[in-house]
């Protein structure tokens, strides 16, 4: 079958990410003798420089890793709500939703500490060895991709009138970054150089220097600048200026941590995902709803079945997922529950939100769902994911790495993007906005709660055959991540092999789709019941049959759905493989 690129194969190492420079940085670390975890950290910091509209140092990152011979673990780089971020505080400001931008939406940053914890515990390189790529691109420049400048243009007025520190960096002389022009961030390069100097002065050992850098972020000059800036009122998507709740104590008290994955077994595969503080279990619920022989379904029946399962899983996410209360994961993934839920999938598209009752519990929903609010978009609000026209605008990054020793890692960094908050002067990056995903309705798992993580859409994936890790994959895309990732996984699992291995590139290139028939995770939390967005290289007959089933189909561009990355390792032969998405015109896999 023709694909946009070949599925790469080799035996040394593979890196796939949403930007070619990050993939190249990761590969350079592998070539220098580093392992998959060293390479992932180098690629992760590089993504913060070359995709600043998609992630930043003060964002968040969930990481799922499979050390060779060790158990699969999740490294949580999602920071919690600050101590002052209570429902009462936001209600007293007259808010019914957490703003989509600005200091009030900032959680405790989690990405930096997670990357450093991964490097310390599983890597082999020094911090300077993996940071040098990000420092070089920040100091000497990188050719800007088209989406950086187009993103800046969408918030030009906000930058020029309100967020002037952002305008200084991204609108020098009033001009947004032009495609291919060198974009620099001298303040960020200086921040990392100072961090390295202070960390190296703390000791000569690799681990000691990494821990010193973590302390500097939490308690040193970076923490001081972040806390001081969070306390300054800034314009946000509510149309008002608000100060944030993040303090130095919040920063000092945070550490990334490890936890076990949530897993589900299907057709000889076991898929591992982050827990229900993410949307990861949605992927597993969608798998649990599948019972038919998928190979017997025509394309329209196949898409209809998956779309309707997505709606049911996302409805459960809305009612049951979060970090502020117990989540009945066992019941949500149980055969009896999914047998009953599967019966709700009929011949026609559902236009309702239908959460279930695991263990007999009655679901509760947030006020904005119950009242059917249809709030107007605000400039710069939310996460710029996928528009109603099906056009991918980006929102997040992703990277996967596998090395010759059999280590696999998958990470989805996001948040702290240039359109989220004003750039902190002297640091070169803004705070994030992940609190916008928490609800101000009391008593829900997703209720804004001090010290608890806001539910995130970030959702890297790792799949095993038997007990052996085989496949790491993921995509940006907000609420679409566990739709596009599922479609990719099923395609990879069901397609004939290429040269004896998984046809990663064929599965990535296959036509993709998504629905928005549930409340968005992002301000202003809009739902589009019955919606279905498909790529234009779908068969027109399939589109017509889906419309006859009641789906409100929007046909987008031929490459408008998803930005998947994937790497794999055949445990029998040791052959490594990789693929990357042509969508977005930035992702690339490299390896040998």
């Amino acid at each position: 079958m023709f694909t946009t690129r070949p599925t790469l194969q080799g035996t040394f190492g593979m890196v796939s990410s949403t930007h070619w420079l990050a993939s190249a940085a990761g590969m350079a670390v592998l070539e220098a003798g580093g392992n998959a975890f060293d390479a992932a950290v180098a690629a992760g910091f590089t993504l913060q420089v070359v995709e600043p509209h998609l992630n930043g140092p003060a964002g968040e990152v969930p990481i799922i890793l499979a050390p060779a011979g060790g158990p699969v673990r999740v490294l949580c780089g999602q920071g919690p709500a600050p101590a002052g971020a209570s429902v009462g505080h936001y209600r007293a400001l007259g808010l019914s939703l957490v703003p989509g931008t600005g200091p009030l939406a900032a959680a405790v940053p989690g990405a930096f500490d997670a990357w450093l914890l991964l490097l310390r515990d599983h890597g082999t390189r020094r911090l300077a060895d993996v940071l040098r790529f990000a420092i070089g691109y920040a100091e000497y420049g990188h050719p800007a991709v088209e989406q950086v400048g187009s993103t800046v243009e969408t918030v030009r007025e906000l930058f020029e009138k309100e967020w002037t520190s952002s305008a200084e960096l991204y609108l020098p002389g009033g001009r947004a970054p032009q495609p291919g022009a060198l974009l620099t961030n001298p303040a960020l390069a200086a921040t990392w150089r100072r961090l390295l100097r202070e960390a190296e002065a703390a000791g000569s050992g690799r681990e000691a220097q990494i821990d010193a850098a973590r302390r500097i972020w939490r308690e040193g000059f970076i923490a001081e600048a972040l806390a001081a800036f969070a306390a300054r009122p800034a314009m946000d998507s509510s149309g008002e200026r608000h100060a944030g709740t993040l303090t130095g104590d919040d920063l000092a008290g945070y550490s990334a941590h490890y936890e076990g994955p949530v897993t589900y077994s299907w057709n000889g595969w076991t898929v591992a995902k982050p827990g229900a503080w993410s949307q990861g279990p949605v992927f597993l619920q969608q798998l649990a709803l599948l019972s038919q022989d998928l190979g017997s379904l025509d394309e329209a029946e196949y898409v209809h079945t998956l779309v309707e399962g997505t709606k049911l899983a996302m409805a459960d996410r809305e009612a049951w997922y979060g970090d502020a209360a117990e989540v009945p994961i066992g019941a949500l993934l149980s055969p009896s529950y999914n047998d009953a839920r599967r019966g709700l999938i009929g011949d026609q598209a559902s236009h309702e939100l239908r959460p279930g009752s695991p263990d007999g519990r009655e679901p509760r929903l947030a006020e904005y769902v119950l009242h059917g609010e249809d709030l107007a978009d605000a400039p710069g609000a939310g996460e710029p994911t996928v528009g109603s026209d099906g056009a991918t605008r980006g929102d997040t990054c992703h990277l996967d790495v596998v090395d010759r020793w059999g280590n696999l890692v998958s990470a989805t960094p996001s948040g702290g993007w240039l359109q989220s908050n004003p750039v902190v002067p002297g640091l070169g990056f803004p705070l994030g906005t992940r609190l916008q995903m928490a609800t101000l309705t009391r008593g829900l798992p997703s209720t804004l709660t001090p010290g608890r993580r806001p539910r995130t859409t970030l959702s890297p994936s790792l799949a095993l055959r038997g007990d052996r890790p085989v496949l790491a994959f993921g995509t940006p895309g907000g609420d679409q991540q566990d739709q596009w990732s599922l479609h990719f996984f099923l395609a990879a699992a069901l397609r004939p092999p290429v040269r004896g291995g998984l046809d990663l590139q064929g599965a990535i290139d296959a036509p993709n789709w998504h629905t928005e028939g549930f409340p968005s995770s992002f301000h202003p939390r809009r739902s589009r019941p019955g919606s279905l967005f498909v790529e234009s290289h779908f068969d027109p007959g399939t589109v017509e049959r889906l419309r006859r089933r009641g789906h409100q189909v929007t046909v987008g561009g031929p490459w408008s759905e998803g930005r998947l990355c994937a790497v794999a390792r055949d445990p029998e032969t040791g052959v490594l493989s990789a693929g990357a998405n042509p969508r977005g015109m930035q992702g690339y896999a490299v390896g040998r």
Side-chain angles (χ1 to χ4, degrees):
M1 174 184 171
F2 174 79
T3 57
T4 58
R5 308 161 185 179
T7 293
L8 305 184
Q9 288 185 316
T11 57
F12 181 81
M14 296 280 166
V15 184
S16 179
S17 86
T18 49
H19 196 291
W20 64 86
L21 292 178
S23 298
M27 194 65 201
V29 170
L30 292 180
E31 295 285 2
N35 64 19
F37 309 112
D38 299 311
V41 176
F45 277 103
T46 300
L47 285 172
Q48 295 170 4
V49 178
V50 300
E51 293 190 328
H53 56 308
L54 307 180
N55 79 138
E60 45 275 328
V61 59
I63 303 169
I64 190 161
L65 58 145
V72 176
R73 301 290 285 168
V74 171
L75 175 51
C76 176
Q78 173 58 66
S86 66
V87 170
H89 177 74
Y90 288 71
R91 292 289 191 186
L93 295 171
L95 297 169
S96 60
L97 293 175
V98 178
T101 59
L104 263 183
V108 180
F112 179 87
D113 198 63
W115 286 125
L116 265 64
L117 196 61
L118 180 68
L119 181 67
R120 187 196 71 182
D121 294 347
H122 297 281
T124 63
R125 305 286 96 177
R126 291 179 175 268
L127 181 57
D129 296 333
V130 297
L131 263 182
R132 67 185 182 90
F133 304 95
I135 292 172
Y137 287 126
E139 187 166 18
Y140 301 111
H142 58 94
V145 294
E146 287 81 356
Q147 291 85 351
V148 175
S150 61
T151 300
V152 172
E153 288 294 351
T154 66
V155 287
R156 170 183 286 274
E157 184 176 357
L158 176 67
F159 279 17
E160 291 178 336
K161 293 184 177 180
E162 298 284 347
W163 296 5
T164 54
S165 59
S166 298
E168 291 173 7
L169 176 58
Y170 291 109
L171 285 168
R175 185 176 173 83
Q178 299 300 298
L182 288 181
L183 176 61
T184 63
N185 190 338
L188 179 59
T191 295
W192 293 151
R193 289 193 184 282
R194 179 177 173 184
L195 176 86
L196 287 175
R197 287 196 304 271
E198 294 187 10
E200 290 168 355
S204 59
R206 191 184 76 91
E207 291 82 1
Q209 291 178 2
I210 293 171
D211 281 335
R214 296 173 67 206
R215 287 193 300 272
I216 293 163
W217 175 275
R218 292 197 297 249
E219 302 173 23
F221 77 96
I222 295 176
E224 292 172 359
L226 291 175
F229 204 73
R232 301 178 190 174
M235 180 65 69
D236 61 39
S237 58
S238 72
E240 303 290 336
R241 297 180 185 88
H242 293 112
T245 60
L246 182 69
T247 68
D249 288 342
D250 295 314
L251 291 160
Y254 174 74
S255 175
H257 67 278
Y258 298 96
E259 55 190 52
V262 180
T263 61
Y264 186 80
S265 295
W266 174 84
N267 200 29
W269 291 86
T270 297
V271 181
K273 300 288 290 186
W277 52 270
S278 75
Q279 72 173 0
V282 161
F283 184 108
L284 308 181
Q285 285 195 254
Q286 291 174 99
L287 278 181
L289 286 164
L290 299 176
S291 65
Q292 307 105 308
D293 176 9
L294 296 177
S296 69
L297 304 179
D298 67 28
E299 187 175 47
E301 292 174 308
Y302 178 78
V303 173
H304 172 78
T305 298
L306 292 182
V307 168
E308 294 306 295
T310 294
K311 294 173 187 176
L312 294 174
M314 287 295 193
D316 278 345
R317 183 195 72 169
E318 196 62 35
W320 299 109
Y321 287 24
D323 193 39
E326 179 188 357
V327 180
I329 284 293
L332 290 169
L333 294 176
S334 67
S336 59
Y337 180 76
N338 285 284
D339 286 345
R341 295 284 277 167
R342 195 177 301 115
L344 297 176
I345 300 176
D347 292 332
Q348 290 295 301
S350 171
H351 289 215
E352 300 176 38
L353 189 72
R354 300 180 291 176
S357 300
D359 288 337
R361 308 182 197 188
E362 285 302 310
R364 285 189 61 212
L365 297 169
E367 293 171 3
Y368 61 83
V369 179
L370 296 174
H371 298 165
E373 294 183 44
D374 186 17
L375 302 174
D377 287 311
E383 187 176 30
T385 55
V386 178
S388 299
D389 59 357
T392 301
R393 298 191 178 99
D395 62 314
T396 294
C397 306
H398 187 80
L399 65 90
D400 301 298
V401 189
V402 60
D403 64 28
R404 62 191 184 276
W405 300 288
N407 298 302
L408 279 93
V409 59
S410 181
T412 309
S414 185
W417 44 74
L418 65 87
Q419 64 273 32
S420 64
N421 257 301
V423 167
V424 180
L427 294 186
F429 59 86
L431 288 165
T433 54
R434 196 57 57 174
L435 290 188
Q436 68 175 288
M437 306 175 87
T439 178
L440 299 181
T441 302
R442 299 180 190 274
L444 302 180
S446 58
T447 299
L448 178 66
T449 304
R452 295 290 185 170
R453 294 166 289 186
R455 192 188 74 206
T456 178
T457 55
L458 306 177
S459 188
S461 305
L462 201 145
L464 303 86
R465 294 286 280 180
D467 61 352
R468 295 187 288 186
V470 171
L471 175 64
F473 59 101
T475 178
D479 292 316
Q480 284 73 55
Q481 287 182 32
D482 282 303
Q483 300 183 60
W484 292 331
S485 290
L486 177 73
H487 309 159
F488 159 80
F489 172 73
L490 292 175
L494 298 173
R495 295 173 77 87
V498 171
R499 297 187 297 275
L502 293 170
D503 183 8
L504 299 184
Q505 195 62 48
I508 288 171
D509 288 355
N512 218 323
W513 67 91
H514 81 276
T515 178
E516 297 175 11
F518 48 84
S520 169
S521 293
F522 298 93
H523 185 95
R525 315 304 287 264
R526 180 174 286 119
S527 174
R528 294 181 170 89
S531 63
L532 178 58
F533 302 89
V534 304
E535 293 181 320
S536 61
H537 49 288
F538 262 85
D539 180 84
T542 296
V543 173
E544 181 56 33
R545 288 193 295 274
L546 288 167
R547 286 178 171 147
R548 288 201 296 266
R549 287 177 177 264
H551 297 281
Q552 297 177 358
V553 182
T554 299
V555 179
W559 301 105
S560 54
E561 295 284 327
R563 288 177 66 208
L564 279 146
C565 302
V567 300
R569 180 179 185 271
D570 186 323
E572 302 295 338
T573 65
V575 171
L576 313 178
S577 56
N581 205 348
R583 300 164 177 92
M585 300 299 289
Q586 291 171 220
Y588 253 91
V590 295
R592 69 172 180 88

